[in-house]
Amino acid sequence: MHRLVLPTLAVLALSMAAGAHAEEGVMRVKVGDLDVHSDAGARTAFKRINIAARDFCGPLQGYSATYPVEVRACRKEMVEKAVTKLDAPLVTALYSPQPATQLARR
């Protein structure tokens, strides 16, 4: 999906946490205007993915004690799906940053 990036990245959801219903939905993220192979474009795409996941899954305040947990799980799932579907190495690197290298002590 390198140069053939679609104007909109659509990610299907198995369920929406918002309202804790088992509804199906589609999260759309506009990335066609970005060069996801550049640092700035990848950062903007990743930011848009996170904003779309937040909007799609709903706010963290909810009606039950488990609601925030469900929303966080939904957001994590949707970001992961969008990053995977986009298949842009720089965006993937932002999603799963490498752990800092720790030097050994004597």
Side-chain angles (χ1 to χ4, degrees):
M1 201 167 158
H2 298 298
R3 240 336 169 179
L4 301 174
V5 176
L6 302 174
T8 302
L9 169 68
V11 180
L12 294 178
L14 299 176
S15 65
M16 290 176 54
H21 299 309
E23 299 175 30
E24 290 192 20
V26 175
M27 182 179 90
R28 297 188 188 279
V29 183
K30 183 180 177 202
V31 295
D33 61 329
L34 302 174
D35 176 7
V36 295
H37 301 291
S38 73
D39 230 15
R43 288 184 190 286
T44 301
F46 190 62
K47 182 178 179 180
R48 288 181 186 177
I49 288 169
N50 280 288
I51 290 169
R54 183 195 65 207
D55 293 345
F56 182 83
C57 295
L60 288 175
Q61 299 82 19
Y63 307 104
S64 70
T66 61
Y67 185 82
V69 174
E70 293 168 359
V71 171
R72 283 188 183 96
C74 174
R75 289 180 182 184
K76 183 177 187 268
E77 178 184 1
M78 296 312 294
V79 169
E80 183 175 342
K81 285 182 178 185
V83 168
T84 300
K85 186 166 178 104
L86 184 57
D87 192 27
L90 292 177
V91 177
T92 301
L94 290 170
Y95 173 66
S96 47
Q98 298 299 317
T101 303
Q102 192 170 27
L103 300 176
R105 293 173 113 175
R106 285 188 168 201

Coordinates of all heavy atoms in Angstrom, one line a residue:
M1 N 0.8 -1.2 0.0 CA 0.0 0.0 0.0 C 0.9 1.2 0.0 O 0.5 2.3 0.5 CB -0.9 0.0 1.2 CG -2.1 0.8 1.2 SD -3.2 0.3 2.5 CE -4.1 1.8 2.6
H2 N 2.0 1.2 -0.6 CA 3.0 2.2 -0.5 C 2.5 3.5 -1.2 O 2.2 4.4 -0.5 CB 4.4 1.8 -1.1 CG 4.9 0.6 -0.4 ND1 5.3 0.7 1.0 CD2 5.2 -0.7 -0.7 CE1 5.7 -0.5 1.4 NE2 5.7 -1.3 0.4
R3 N 2.6 3.6 -2.5 CA 2.2 4.8 -3.2 C 0.7 4.9 -3.4 O 0.1 5.9 -3.8 CB 2.9 4.9 -4.5 CG 3.8 6.1 -4.7 CD 3.4 7.2 -3.9 NE 4.3 8.4 -3.7 CZ 3.9 9.4 -3.0 NH1 2.8 9.4 -2.4 NH2 4.7 10.4 -2.9
L4 N 0.0 3.8 -3.2 CA -1.4 3.7 -3.5 C -2.2 3.9 -2.2 O -3.2 3.3 -1.9 CB -1.8 2.3 -4.0 CG -1.1 1.9 -5.3 CD1 -1.4 0.5 -5.7 CD2 -1.5 2.9 -6.4
V5 N -1.8 4.9 -1.4 CA -2.5 5.2 -0.2 C -3.8 5.8 -0.5 O -3.9 6.7 -1.3 CB -1.7 6.2 0.7 CG1 -2.5 6.6 1.9 CG2 -0.4 5.6 1.1
L6 N -4.9 5.2 0.0 CA -6.2 5.7 -0.3 C -6.5 7.0 0.4 O -5.9 7.2 1.5 CB -7.2 4.6 0.2 CG -7.1 3.2 -0.5 CD1 -8.0 2.2 0.2 CD2 -7.3 3.3 -2.0
P7 N -7.3 7.8 -0.1 CA -7.6 9.1 0.5 C -8.1 8.9 2.0 O -8.0 9.8 2.8 CB -8.7 9.7 -0.3 CG -8.6 9.0 -1.7 CD -8.0 7.7 -1.4
T8 N -8.8 7.8 2.2 CA -9.3 7.6 3.6 C -9.0 6.2 4.0 O -9.2 5.2 3.2 CB -10.8 7.8 3.6 OG1 -11.1 9.1 3.2 CG2 -11.4 7.6 5.0
L9 N -8.5 6.0 5.2 CA -8.2 4.7 5.7 C -9.4 4.3 6.5 O -9.7 5.0 7.5 CB -6.9 4.7 6.6 CG -6.6 3.6 7.4 CD1 -6.2 2.4 6.6 CD2 -5.4 3.9 8.4
A10 N -10.0 3.2 6.2 CA -11.2 2.8 6.9 C -10.9 1.5 7.7 O -10.3 0.6 7.1 CB -12.4 2.5 6.0
V11 N -11.2 1.5 8.9 CA -10.9 0.3 9.8 C -12.3 -0.2 10.3 O -13.0 0.5 10.9 CB -10.0 0.7 10.9 CG1 -9.7 -0.5 11.8 CG2 -8.7 1.2 10.4
L12 N -12.6 -1.5 10.1 CA -13.8 -2.0 10.6 C -13.6 -2.4 12.1 O -12.6 -2.9 12.5 CB -14.2 -3.3 9.8 CG -14.5 -3.1 8.4 CD1 -14.8 -4.4 7.7 CD2 -15.7 -2.2 8.2
A13 N -14.7 -2.2 12.8 CA -14.7 -2.5 14.2 C -15.6 -3.7 14.5 O -16.6 -3.8 13.8 CB -15.1 -1.3 15.0
L14 N -15.2 -4.6 15.3 CA -16.0 -5.7 15.7 C -17.1 -5.2 16.6 O -18.3 -5.7 16.5 CB -15.2 -6.8 16.4 CG -14.1 -7.4 15.5 CD1 -13.3 -8.3 16.4 CD2 -14.7 -8.0 14.3
S15 N -16.8 -4.3 17.5 CA -17.8 -3.7 18.3 C -17.3 -2.3 18.8 O -16.2 -2.0 18.7 CB -18.1 -4.5 19.5 OG -17.0 -4.6 20.3
M16 N -18.3 -1.5 19.2 CA -18.0 -0.2 19.7 C -18.2 -0.2 21.2 O -19.2 -0.7 21.7 CB -18.9 0.9 19.1 CG -18.7 1.1 17.6 SD -19.9 2.3 16.9 CE -19.8 3.7 18.0
A17 N -17.2 0.3 21.9 CA -17.3 0.4 23.3 C -18.3 1.5 23.8 O -18.9 1.4 24.8 CB -15.9 0.7 24.0
A18 N -18.4 2.5 22.9 CA -19.3 3.6 23.3 C -20.7 3.0 23.5 O -21.3 2.4 22.6 CB -19.3 4.6 22.2
G19 N -21.2 3.2 24.7 CA -22.5 2.7 25.0 C -22.5 1.3 25.4 O -23.5 0.7 25.7
A20 N -21.4 0.6 25.3 CA -21.2 -0.8 25.6 C -22.2 -1.7 24.8 O -22.6 -2.7 25.3 CB -21.3 -1.0 27.1
H21 N -22.4 -1.3 23.6 CA -23.3 -2.1 22.7 C -22.4 -2.9 21.8 O -21.3 -2.6 21.6 CB -24.2 -1.2 21.8 CG -25.1 -0.3 22.6 ND1 -25.9 -0.8 23.6 CD2 -25.4 1.0 22.5 CE1 -26.6 0.2 24.1 NE2 -26.3 1.3 23.4
A22 N -23.0 -4.0 21.3 CA -22.3 -4.8 20.3 C -22.7 -4.3 18.9 O -23.2 -5.0 18.1 CB -22.6 -6.3 20.5
E23 N -22.4 -3.1 18.6 CA -22.7 -2.5 17.4 C -21.5 -2.6 16.4 O -20.4 -2.5 16.9 CB -23.1 -1.0 17.5 CG -24.3 -0.7 18.4 CD -24.5 0.8 18.6 OE1 -24.2 1.5 17.7 OE2 -25.0 1.1 19.6
E24 N -21.7 -2.6 15.2 CA -20.6 -2.6 14.2 C -20.5 -1.2 13.7 O -21.4 -0.4 13.6 CB -20.9 -3.5 13.1 CG -20.8 -5.0 13.5 CD -20.7 -5.9 12.3 OE1 -20.4 -5.5 11.2 OE2 -21.0 -7.1 12.5
G25 N -19.3 -0.8 13.4 CA -19.0 0.6 12.9 C -17.7 0.6 12.1 O -17.0 -0.3 12.0
V26 N -17.5 1.8 11.5 CA -16.3 2.0 10.8 C -15.6 3.3 11.3 O -16.3 4.3 11.5 CB -16.7 2.2 9.3 CG1 -15.4 2.5 8.5 CG2 -17.3 0.9 8.7
M27 N -14.3 3.1 11.5 CA -13.5 4.3 11.9 C -12.8 4.8 10.7 O -12.1 4.0 10.0 CB -12.5 3.9 13.0 CG -11.7 5.1 13.5 SD -10.6 4.7 14.8 CE -9.1 4.2 13.8
R28 N -12.9 6.0 10.3 CA -12.3 6.5 9.1 C -11.2 7.5 9.5 O -11.5 8.4 10.4 CB -13.3 7.2 8.2 CG -14.3 6.2 7.7 CD -15.2 6.9 6.6 NE -16.3 6.1 6.2 CZ -16.2 5.0 5.3 NH1 -15.1 4.8 4.8 NH2 -17.3 4.3 5.0
V29 N -10.1 7.4 8.9 CA -9.0 8.3 9.1 C -8.5 8.8 7.8 O -8.0 8.0 6.9 CB -7.8 7.6 9.9 CG1 -6.7 8.6 10.2 CG2 -8.3 7.0 11.1
K30 N -8.5 10.1 7.6 CA -8.0 10.7 6.3 C -6.5 10.8 6.4 O -5.9 11.5 7.2 CB -8.6 12.1 6.1 CG -8.2 12.8 4.8 CD -8.8 14.1 4.7 CE -8.4 14.7 3.4 NZ -8.5 16.2 3.4
V31 N -5.8 10.1 5.4 CA -4.4 10.1 5.3 C -3.9 10.4 3.9 O -2.7 10.5 3.7 CB -3.7 8.8 5.9 CG1 -4.0 8.7 7.4 CG2 -4.2 7.6 5.1
G32 N -4.8 10.5 2.9 CA -4.4 10.6 1.5 C -3.7 11.9 1.2 O -3.0 11.9 0.2
D33 N -3.8 12.9 2.1 CA -3.1 14.1 1.9 C -1.7 14.2 2.5 O -1.0 15.2 2.4 CB -4.0 15.3 2.4 CG -4.2 15.2 3.9 OD1 -4.3 14.1 4.4 OD2 -4.4 16.3 4.5
L34 N -1.3 13.1 3.1 CA -0.1 13.0 3.8 C 1.0 12.1 3.1 O 0.6 11.2 2.5 CB -0.3 12.4 5.3 CG -1.3 13.2 6.1 CD1 -1.5 12.4 7.4 CD2 -0.8 14.6 6.4
D35 N 2.2 12.5 3.3 CA 3.3 11.6 2.9 C 3.8 10.9 4.1 O 4.5 11.4 5.0 CB 4.5 12.5 2.4 CG 5.7 11.6 2.0 OD1 5.6 10.4 2.1 OD2 6.8 12.2 1.7
V36 N 3.2 9.7 4.3 CA 3.4 8.9 5.5 C 4.9 8.3 5.6 O 5.2 7.7 6.5 CB 2.4 7.8 5.7 CG1 1.0 8.3 5.9 CG2 2.4 6.8 4.5
H37 N 5.6 8.6 4.5 CA 7.0 8.1 4.5 C 8.0 9.3 4.9 O 9.2 9.1 4.9 CB 7.4 7.7 3.1 CG 6.5 6.5 2.6 ND1 6.6 5.3 3.2 CD2 5.5 6.5 1.7 CE1 5.7 4.5 2.6 NE2 5.0 5.2 1.7
S38 N 7.4 10.4 5.4 CA 8.2 11.5 5.9 C 7.9 11.5 7.4 O 6.8 11.1 7.9 CB 7.9 12.8 5.3 OG 6.6 13.3 5.7
D39 N 8.8 12.1 8.2 CA 8.6 12.2 9.6 C 7.4 12.9 10.0 O 6.6 12.5 10.8 CB 9.8 12.9 10.3 CG 10.4 12.1 11.4 OD1 10.1 10.9 11.6 OD2 11.2 12.7 12.2
A40 N 7.2 14.1 9.4 CA 6.1 15.0 9.7 C 4.8 14.3 9.3 O 3.8 14.3 10.0 CB 6.2 16.3 9.0
G41 N 4.7 13.7 8.1 CA 3.5 13.0 7.6 C 3.1 11.8 8.5 O 2.0 11.6 8.8
A42 N 4.1 11.1 8.9 CA 3.9 9.9 9.8 C 3.3 10.4 11.2 O 2.4 9.8 11.7 CB 5.2 9.1 10.0
R43 N 3.9 11.4 11.7 CA 3.4 12.0 13.0 C 2.0 12.5 12.9 O 1.2 12.2 13.8 CB 4.4 13.1 13.5 CG 5.7 12.5 14.0 CD 6.6 13.7 14.6 NE 7.9 13.2 14.8 CZ 8.3 12.4 15.8 NH1 7.4 12.0 16.6 NH2 9.5 12.1 15.9
T44 N 1.7 13.2 11.8 CA 0.4 13.7 11.6 C -0.6 12.5 11.4 O -1.7 12.5 12.0 CB 0.3 14.6 10.4 OG1 1.2 15.7 10.6 CG2 -1.1 15.1 10.2
A45 N -0.2 11.5 10.7 CA -1.1 10.3 10.5 C -1.4 9.6 11.8 O -2.5 9.3 12.1 CB -0.5 9.3 9.5
F46 N -0.3 9.5 12.6 CA -0.5 8.8 13.9 C -1.4 9.6 14.8 O -2.2 9.1 15.5 CB 0.9 8.5 14.5 CG 0.8 7.7 15.8 CD1 0.3 6.3 15.7 CD2 1.2 8.1 17.0 CE1 0.3 5.5 16.8 CE2 1.2 7.3 18.1 CZ 0.7 6.0 18.0
K47 N -1.2 10.9 14.8 CA -2.1 11.8 15.6 C -3.6 11.7 15.2 O -4.5 11.6 16.0 CB -1.6 13.2 15.5 CG -2.4 14.2 16.3 CD -1.8 15.6 16.2 CE -2.6 16.6 17.0 NZ -2.1 18.0 16.9
R48 N -3.8 11.7 13.8 CA -5.1 11.5 13.3 C -5.7 10.2 13.7 O -6.9 10.1 14.0 CB -5.1 11.7 11.8 CG -4.9 13.1 11.3 CD -4.9 13.2 9.8 NE -4.6 14.5 9.3 CZ -4.5 14.8 8.1 NH1 -4.8 13.9 7.1 NH2 -4.2 16.0 7.7
I49 N -5.0 9.1 13.7 CA -5.4 7.8 14.1 C -5.9 7.8 15.5 O -6.9 7.3 15.9 CB -4.4 6.7 13.8 CG1 -4.2 6.5 12.3 CG2 -4.7 5.4 14.6 CD1 -3.0 5.7 11.9
N50 N -5.1 8.4 16.4 CA -5.4 8.5 17.8 C -6.7 9.3 18.1 O -7.5 8.9 18.9 CB -4.2 9.0 18.6 CG -3.2 7.9 18.9 OD1 -3.5 7.0 19.7 ND2 -2.1 7.9 18.2
I51 N -6.8 10.4 17.4 CA -8.0 11.3 17.5 C -9.2 10.5 17.0 O -10.3 10.5 17.7 CB -7.8 12.6 16.8 CG1 -6.8 13.4 17.5 CG2 -9.1 13.3 16.6 CD1 -6.3 14.7 16.7
A52 N -9.1 9.8 15.9 CA -10.2 9.1 15.4 C -10.6 7.9 16.3 O -11.8 7.7 16.5 CB -9.9 8.5 14.0
A53 N -9.7 7.3 16.9 CA -10.0 6.2 17.9 C -10.7 6.8 19.1 O -11.6 6.2 19.6 CB -8.7 5.5 18.3
R54 N -10.2 7.9 19.6 CA -10.9 8.6 20.7 C -12.3 8.9 20.4 O -13.3 8.7 21.1 CB -10.1 9.9 21.1 CG -10.7 10.5 22.3 CD -10.2 11.9 22.5 NE -10.6 12.7 21.4 CZ -10.0 13.8 20.9 NH1 -8.9 14.2 21.4 NH2 -10.5 14.5 19.9
D55 N -12.5 9.5 19.2 CA -13.9 9.9 18.8 C -14.8 8.7 18.5 O -15.9 8.7 18.9 CB -13.8 10.7 17.5 CG -13.2 12.1 17.7 OD1 -13.0 12.5 18.9 OD2 -12.8 12.7 16.7
F56 N -14.2 7.6 18.0 CA -14.9 6.4 17.6 C -15.4 5.7 18.9 O -16.5 5.2 19.0 CB -14.1 5.5 16.8 CG -14.7 4.2 16.3 CD1 -15.6 4.2 15.2 CD2 -14.5 3.1 17.0 CE1 -16.2 3.1 14.8 CE2 -15.1 1.9 16.6 CZ -16.0 1.9 15.5
C57 N -14.4 5.6 19.9 CA -14.7 4.7 21.0 C -15.4 5.5 22.2 O -16.0 4.8 23.0 CB -13.4 4.2 21.6 SG -12.6 3.0 20.4
G58 N -15.4 6.8 22.1 CA -16.1 7.5 23.1 C -15.2 8.0 24.3 O -14.0 7.7 24.3
P59 N -15.8 8.8 25.1 CA -15.1 9.4 26.2 C -14.8 8.4 27.3 O -15.4 7.4 27.4 CB -16.0 10.5 26.7 CG -17.4 10.0 26.4 CD -17.2 9.3 25.1
L60 N -13.8 8.7 28.2 CA -13.5 7.8 29.3 C -14.5 7.8 30.4 O -14.5 6.9 31.2 CB -12.1 8.2 29.8 CG -10.9 7.8 28.9 CD1 -9.6 8.3 29.4 CD2 -10.9 6.3 28.6
Q61 N -15.3 8.9 30.5 CA -16.3 8.9 31.5 C -17.5 8.1 31.1 O -17.9 8.2 29.9 CB -16.8 10.3 31.8 CG -15.8 11.3 32.3 CD -14.9 11.9 31.1 OE1 -15.3 11.9 30.0 NE2 -13.8 12.4 31.5
G62 N -18.0 7.2 31.9 CA -19.1 6.4 31.5 C -20.1 6.1 32.6 O -20.1 6.7 33.6
Y63 N -20.8 5.1 32.3 CA -22.0 4.7 33.1 C -21.7 3.6 34.1 O -22.6 3.3 34.9 CB -23.2 4.3 32.2 CG -23.4 5.4 31.2 CD1 -23.1 5.2 29.9 CD2 -24.0 6.6 31.6 CE1 -23.3 6.2 28.9 CE2 -24.3 7.6 30.6 CZ -23.9 7.4 29.3 OH -24.1 8.4 28.4
S64 N -20.6 3.0 34.0 CA -20.3 1.9 34.9 C -18.8 1.9 35.3 O -18.0 2.6 34.7 CB -20.6 0.5 34.3 OG -19.7 0.2 33.2
A65 N -18.4 1.1 36.2 CA -17.0 1.0 36.7 C -16.1 0.4 35.6 O -15.0 0.8 35.5 CB -16.9 0.2 38.0
T66 N -16.7 -0.4 34.7 CA -15.9 -1.0 33.7 C -15.8 -0.2 32.4 O -15.0 -0.5 31.5 CB -16.4 -2.4 33.4 OG1 -17.7 -2.3 32.9 CG2 -16.3 -3.4 34.6
Y67 N -16.6 0.8 32.3 CA -16.7 1.6 31.1 C -15.4 2.1 30.6 O -15.0 2.0 29.5 CB -17.7 2.7 31.2 CG -18.0 3.5 29.9 CD1 -18.8 3.0 29.0 CD2 -17.3 4.7 29.7 CE1 -19.0 3.7 27.8 CE2 -17.5 5.4 28.5 CZ -18.4 4.9 27.6 OH -18.6 5.5 26.4
P68 N -14.6 2.8 31.5 CA -13.3 3.3 31.1 C -12.3 2.2 30.6 O -11.6 2.4 29.6 CB -12.7 4.0 32.3 CG -13.9 4.3 33.2 CD -14.9 3.2 32.9
V69 N -12.4 1.1 31.2 CA -11.6 -0.1 30.7 C -12.0 -0.5 29.3 O -11.1 -0.7 28.5 CB -11.7 -1.2 31.7 CG1 -11.0 -2.5 31.2 CG2 -11.2 -0.9 33.1
E70 N -13.3 -0.5 29.1 CA -13.8 -0.9 27.7 C -13.3 0.1 26.7 O -13.0 -0.2 25.6 CB -15.3 -1.0 27.8 CG -15.8 -2.2 28.6 CD -17.3 -2.1 28.9 OE1 -17.9 -1.2 28.4 OE2 -17.8 -3.0 29.5
V71 N -13.4 1.4 27.1 CA -13.1 2.5 26.1 C -11.6 2.4 25.8 O -11.2 2.5 24.7 CB -13.4 3.9 26.7 CG1 -12.9 5.0 25.8 CG2 -15.0 4.0 26.7
R72 N -10.7 2.2 26.8 CA -9.3 2.1 26.6 C -9.0 0.9 25.7 O -8.1 1.0 24.8 CB -8.5 2.0 27.9 CG -8.4 3.3 28.6 CD -7.5 3.2 29.8 NE -7.4 4.4 30.5 CZ -8.1 4.8 31.6 NH1 -9.0 3.9 32.1 NH2 -8.0 5.9 32.2
A73 N -9.6 -0.2 25.9 CA -9.4 -1.4 25.1 C -9.9 -1.1 23.7 O -9.2 -1.5 22.7 CB -10.2 -2.6 25.7
C74 N -11.0 -0.5 23.5 CA -11.5 -0.1 22.2 C -10.5 0.8 21.5 O -10.1 0.6 20.3 CB -12.8 0.6 22.3 SG -13.4 1.2 20.7
R75 N -10.0 1.8 22.1 CA -9.0 2.8 21.5 C -7.7 2.0 21.1 O -7.2 2.2 20.0 CB -8.7 3.9 22.5 CG -9.8 4.9 22.7 CD -9.4 5.9 23.7 NE -10.5 6.9 23.9 CZ -10.4 7.9 24.7 NH1 -9.3 8.2 25.3 NH2 -11.4 8.7 24.9
K76 N -7.2 1.2 22.0 CA -6.0 0.4 21.7 C -6.2 -0.5 20.5 O -5.4 -0.5 19.6 CB -5.6 -0.4 22.9 CG -4.4 -1.2 22.8 CD -4.0 -2.0 24.0 CE -2.6 -2.6 23.9 NZ -2.6 -3.9 23.4
E77 N -7.4 -1.2 20.4 CA -7.7 -2.1 19.3 C -7.8 -1.3 18.0 O -7.2 -1.7 17.0 CB -9.0 -2.8 19.6 CG -9.4 -3.7 18.5 CD -10.7 -4.4 18.7 OE1 -11.4 -4.1 19.7 OE2 -11.1 -5.2 17.8
M78 N -8.5 -0.1 18.0 CA -8.7 0.6 16.8 C -7.4 1.2 16.3 O -7.1 1.3 15.1 CB -9.8 1.7 17.0 CG -11.1 1.1 17.3 SD -11.7 -0.2 16.2 CE -11.8 0.7 14.7
V79 N -6.5 1.7 17.2 CA -5.3 2.3 16.8 C -4.4 1.2 16.2 O -3.8 1.4 15.1 CB -4.5 3.0 18.0 CG1 -3.1 3.3 17.6 CG2 -5.3 4.2 18.4
E80 N -4.4 0.0 16.8 CA -3.6 -1.1 16.3 C -4.1 -1.5 14.9 O -3.3 -1.7 14.0 CB -3.7 -2.3 17.3 CG -2.8 -3.4 16.8 CD -2.8 -4.6 17.8 OE1 -3.2 -4.3 19.0 OE2 -2.5 -5.7 17.4
K81 N -5.4 -1.6 14.7 CA -6.0 -2.0 13.4 C -5.6 -0.9 12.4 O -5.2 -1.3 11.2 CB -7.5 -2.1 13.5 CG -7.9 -3.4 14.2 CD -9.4 -3.5 14.2 CE -9.9 -4.7 14.8 NZ -11.4 -4.9 14.7
A82 N -5.7 0.4 12.7 CA -5.5 1.4 11.7 C -4.0 1.4 11.3 O -3.6 1.6 10.2 CB -5.9 2.8 12.3
V83 N -3.1 1.3 12.3 CA -1.7 1.3 12.0 C -1.3 0.1 11.2 O -0.5 0.2 10.2 CB -0.8 1.3 13.4 CG1 0.6 1.0 13.1 CG2 -1.0 2.7 14.1
T84 N -1.9 -1.0 11.5 CA -1.6 -2.3 10.7 C -2.1 -2.1 9.3 O -1.4 -2.4 8.3 CB -2.3 -3.5 11.4 OG1 -1.7 -3.6 12.7 CG2 -2.0 -4.7 10.6
K85 N -3.3 -1.6 9.1 CA -3.9 -1.4 7.8 C -3.1 -0.4 7.0 O -2.9 -0.6 5.8 CB -5.4 -1.0 7.9 CG -6.1 -1.0 6.6 CD -7.6 -1.0 6.7 CE -8.2 -0.9 5.4 NZ -8.8 -2.1 5.0
L86 N -2.7 0.7 7.6 CA -1.9 1.7 6.9 C -0.6 1.1 6.4 O -0.2 1.5 5.3 CB -1.7 2.9 7.7 CG -1.0 4.1 7.1 CD1 -1.8 4.6 5.9 CD2 -0.8 5.2 8.1
D87 N 0.0 0.3 7.1 CA 1.3 -0.4 6.7 C 2.4 0.6 6.3 O 3.0 0.5 5.2 CB 1.0 -1.4 5.6 CG 2.2 -2.3 5.4 OD1 3.0 -2.6 6.3 OD2 2.3 -2.8 4.2
A88 N 2.6 1.6 7.1 CA 3.6 2.6 6.9 C 4.7 2.5 8.0 O 4.4 2.7 9.1 CB 3.0 4.0 6.8
P89 N 5.9 2.1 7.6 CA 6.9 1.8 8.6 C 7.1 3.0 9.7 O 7.3 2.7 10.9 CB 8.2 1.6 7.8 CG 7.7 1.1 6.5 CD 6.4 1.8 6.3
L90 N 7.1 4.2 9.3 CA 7.3 5.3 10.2 C 6.1 5.4 11.2 O 6.3 5.7 12.4 CB 7.6 6.6 9.5 CG 8.9 6.7 8.7 CD1 8.9 8.1 8.0 CD2 10.1 6.5 9.6
V91 N 4.9 5.2 10.7 CA 3.8 5.2 11.6 C 3.8 4.0 12.6 O 3.5 4.2 13.8 CB 2.4 5.2 10.8 CG1 1.2 5.2 11.7 CG2 2.4 6.5 9.9
T92 N 4.2 2.9 12.0 CA 4.3 1.7 12.9 C 5.3 1.9 14.0 O 5.1 1.5 15.1 CB 4.7 0.5 12.0 OG1 3.7 0.3 11.0 CG2 4.8 -0.8 12.9
A93 N 6.4 2.6 13.6 CA 7.5 2.9 14.6 C 7.0 3.8 15.7 O 7.3 3.6 16.9 CB 8.7 3.5 13.9
L94 N 6.1 4.7 15.4 CA 5.5 5.6 16.4 C 4.6 4.9 17.3 O 4.5 5.1 18.5 CB 4.8 6.8 15.7 CG 5.6 7.8 15.0 CD1 4.7 8.7 14.2 CD2 6.5 8.6 16.0
Y95 N 3.9 3.9 16.7 CA 3.0 3.1 17.5 C 3.7 2.2 18.5 O 3.3 2.0 19.6 CB 2.1 2.2 16.6 CG 1.2 1.3 17.3 CD1 0.2 1.7 18.1 CD2 1.4 -0.1 17.2 CE1 -0.6 0.8 18.8 CE2 0.5 -1.0 17.8 CZ -0.4 -0.5 18.7 OH -1.2 -1.4 19.3
S96 N 4.8 1.6 18.0 CA 5.5 0.6 18.9 C 7.0 1.1 19.0 O 7.8 0.5 18.3 CB 5.4 -0.8 18.4 OG 5.6 -0.8 17.0
P97 N 7.2 2.2 19.7 CA 8.6 2.7 19.8 C 9.5 1.6 20.4 O 9.1 0.9 21.3 CB 8.5 3.9 20.7 CG 7.2 3.7 21.5 CD 6.3 2.9 20.6
Q98 N 10.8 1.7 19.9 CA 11.8 0.8 20.5 C 12.1 1.2 21.9 O 12.2 2.4 22.2 CB 13.0 0.8 19.6 CG 12.8 0.4 18.2 CD 12.3 -1.0 18.1 OE1 12.8 -1.9 18.8 NE2 11.3 -1.3 17.2
P99 N 12.3 0.2 22.8 CA 12.7 0.5 24.2 C 14.0 1.2 24.2 O 14.9 0.8 23.3 CB 12.6 -0.8 24.9 CG 12.7 -1.8 23.8 CD 12.1 -1.2 22.6
A100 N 14.2 2.1 25.1 CA 15.5 2.8 25.2 C 16.6 1.7 25.6 O 16.4 0.8 26.4 CB 15.5 3.9 26.2
T101 N 17.7 1.9 25.0 CA 18.8 1.0 25.3 C 19.4 1.4 26.6 O 19.7 2.6 26.8 CB 19.9 1.0 24.2 OG1 19.3 0.7 22.9 CG2 21.0 0.1 24.4
Q102 N 19.6 0.4 27.5 CA 20.2 0.7 28.8 C 21.6 0.2 28.8 O 21.8 -1.0 28.5 CB 19.3 0.1 29.9 CG 19.7 0.6 31.2 CD 18.6 0.1 32.2 OE1 18.0 -1.0 32.0 NE2 18.4 0.8 33.3
L103 N 22.5 1.0 29.2 CA 23.9 0.6 29.3 C 24.1 -0.2 30.6 O 23.5 0.1 31.7 CB 24.8 1.8 29.3 CG 24.7 2.7 28.1 CD1 25.6 3.9 28.2 CD2 25.1 1.8 26.8
A104 N 24.9 -1.2 30.5 CA 25.2 -2.0 31.7 C 26.0 -1.2 32.7 O 26.9 -0.4 32.4 CB 26.0 -3.3 31.3
R105 N 25.8 -1.5 34.0 CA 26.6 -0.9 35.1 C 27.6 -1.8 35.6 O 27.5 -3.0 35.5 CB 25.7 -0.5 36.3 CG 24.7 0.5 36.0 CD 23.7 0.6 37.1 NE 23.9 1.9 37.8 CZ 23.2 2.3 38.8 NH1 22.3 1.5 39.3 NH2 23.4 3.4 39.4
R106 N 28.7 -1.3 36.1 CA 29.8 -2.1 36.7 C 29.7 -2.1 38.1 O 29.2 -1.2 38.8 CB 31.1 -1.5 36.3 CG 31.4 -1.9 34.8 CD 32.8 -1.5 34.6 NE 33.2 -2.1 33.3 CZ 34.4 -2.4 32.9 NH1 35.4 -2.0 33.7 NH2 34.6 -2.9 31.8

